[in-house]
Amino acid sequence: MKNITVIGAGTMGNGIAHTFAQSGFNVSLVDISQENIDRGLGTISKNLDRMIAKEKITEADKNETLSNISTFTDLKSGVEKADLIVEAATENVDLKLKIFGQMDEFAPADCILSTNTSSISITQIASVTKRPEKVIGMHFMNPVPIMKLVEIIRGYSTSDEVTTTIMELSKQLGKTPTEVNDYPGFVANRILMPMINEAIETLYNGVAGVQEIDTVMKLGMAHPMGPLQLADFIGLDVCLSILNVMHDGFKNPKYAPCPLLVNMVMAGKKGVKSGEGFYDYSESRKAEKVSASFK
């Protein structure tokens, strides 16, 4: 397995492309927008510069990594030689089903189709293809080049051979793959999102302020980042989407998103990506200043 196609040049997509390219794979980075591709390549270049500054890689390593990446705005051209495709588009089920239908049509018959979804059913995604045994979840963590975990999710029809191949491939990337089964939220978000949602409920109910909630979890529970800061980092729109998938999937009210989260997303307050969430990021990407809405 040498040729990897990554669909989507956003935060997760460019991180996945970076990781594969740095490990010596030929990477095709596909996005419908050339602007998104250019922004993604810029992010990869900056992240490699940070690694050079920390003396983890050399300038030659950076150049080699970038030379391993080719870009496409046409999906058919981007997947026609792929051994593995990693879809990392927006966390929207209709969009993913459309992309997987196209991937299945255009990719080689022996190509494995994977998705970086953090909550959507692998079995549902596989159902729109003619190769459900070759469809699997590869849920990378953000930031991809740094975080070691890859959640490997088997759909109902995913073969043992494909699962073993992807587990071994993840190890080649220096990651720690962990196999889980296909239920809404898998493991990571089934546990994480209710915690984040409860932190938002705690704020919503006036129990404590933003910094106080995060301080309790950081100092009391040894979390490196408080849940509200983490929600901003993930993206409040992404958190809302995952909670909705889990709520729809389990029909359990404990997964219902807090009204405050719903309102913030509708108001465009999505966290770091929008410049404001629970914290104000207008001056710094660090969570140092609480949003005026919560003072």
Side-chain angles (χ1 to χ4, degrees), residues 100-279:
F100 265 78
Q102 294 173 334
M103 285 161 46
D104 186 48
E105 179 182 355
F106 299 137
D110 59 351
C111 177
I112 296 173
L113 310 181
S114 75
T115 174
N116 182 59
T117 182
S118 55
S119 60
I120 298 169
S121 168
I122 307 304
T123 303
Q124 182 181 9
I125 290 172
S127 71
V128 301
T129 76
K130 296 175 182 177
R131 59 181 99 186
E133 75 285 353
K134 292 184 179 295
V135 178
I136 194 166
M138 292 185 77
H139 180 206
F140 290 85
M141 305 293 130
N142 186 29
V144 180
I146 295 172
M147 299 292 279
K148 292 293 186 183
L149 176 67
V150 183
E151 230 181 353
I152 306 299
I153 307 103
R154 294 184 65 140
Y156 188 84
S157 301
T158 307
S159 71
D160 291 341
E161 180 184 1
V162 165
T163 302
T164 299
T165 297
I166 296 304
M167 294 283 283
E168 291 304 315
L169 179 68
S170 300
K171 293 175 184 177
Q172 290 180 44
L173 300 175
K175 304 299 185 186
T176 301
T178 302
E179 182 182 339
V180 306
N181 290 318
D182 186 20
Y183 292 94
F186 316 132
V187 171
N189 282 317
R190 184 168 179 171
I191 295 170
L192 174 63
M193 286 302 153
M195 183 192 75
I196 286 177
N197 199 43
E198 194 63 31
I200 299 171
E201 286 277 3
T202 303
L203 177 65
Y204 181 57
N205 292 331
V207 178
V210 171
Q211 286 182 316
E212 288 75 14
I213 292 168
D214 277 353
T215 297
V216 167
M217 296 306 292
K218 285 190 289 186
L219 300 186
M221 314 306 165
H223 291 194
M225 189 182 293
L228 300 177
Q229 181 187 357
L230 180 56
D232 276 354
F233 181 72
I234 293 169
L236 302 190
D237 54 334
V238 176
C239 294
L240 177 60
S241 175
I242 295 169
L243 284 164
N244 282 332
V245 167
M246 293 168 65
H247 188 223
D248 290 343
F250 290 116
K251 308 297 189 227
N252 189 323
K254 75 177 181 179
Y255 299 115
C258 176
L260 175 59
L261 174 61
V262 175
N263 282 344
M264 290 178 70
V265 173
M266 285 196 296
K269 309 298 184 183
K270 299 178 182 179
V272 176
K273 69 174 78 174
S274 68
E276 184 180 351
F278 295 105
Y279 293 87

Side-chain angles (χ1 to χ4, degrees), residues 6-19 21 27-50 62 65-66 69-73 88 144-145:
V6 179
I7 309 293
T11 300
M12 296 304 294
N14 71 60
I16 294 167
H18 171 166
T19 301
V27 177
S28 297
L29 180 60
V30 180
D31 198 290
I32 58 172
S33 164
Q34 185 62 47
E35 181 182 355
N36 288 347
I37 287 174
D38 293 341
R39 187 182 302 114
L41 289 175
T43 298
I44 294 170
S45 182
K46 288 178 183 176
N47 288 337
L48 290 167
D49 286 338
R50 291 191 184 97
K62 173 187 174 181
T65 296
L66 292 174
I69 303 174
S70 301
T71 63
F72 298 85
T73 54
V144 180

Side-chain angles (χ1 to χ4, degrees), residues 1 3-5 20 82-86 111-112 114 138 166 169:
M1 186 170 289
N3 299 318
I4 312 297
T5 294
F20 274 105
D83 299 312
L84 167 70
I85 303 173
V86 185
C111 177
I112 296 173
S114 75
M138 292 185 77
I166 296 304
L169 179 68

Side-chain angles (χ1 to χ4, degrees), residues 67-80:
S67 72
N68 286 338
I69 303 174
S70 301
T71 63
F72 298 85
T73 54
D74 174 61
L75 187 141
K76 183 177 181 180
S77 301
V79 305
E80 60 186 4

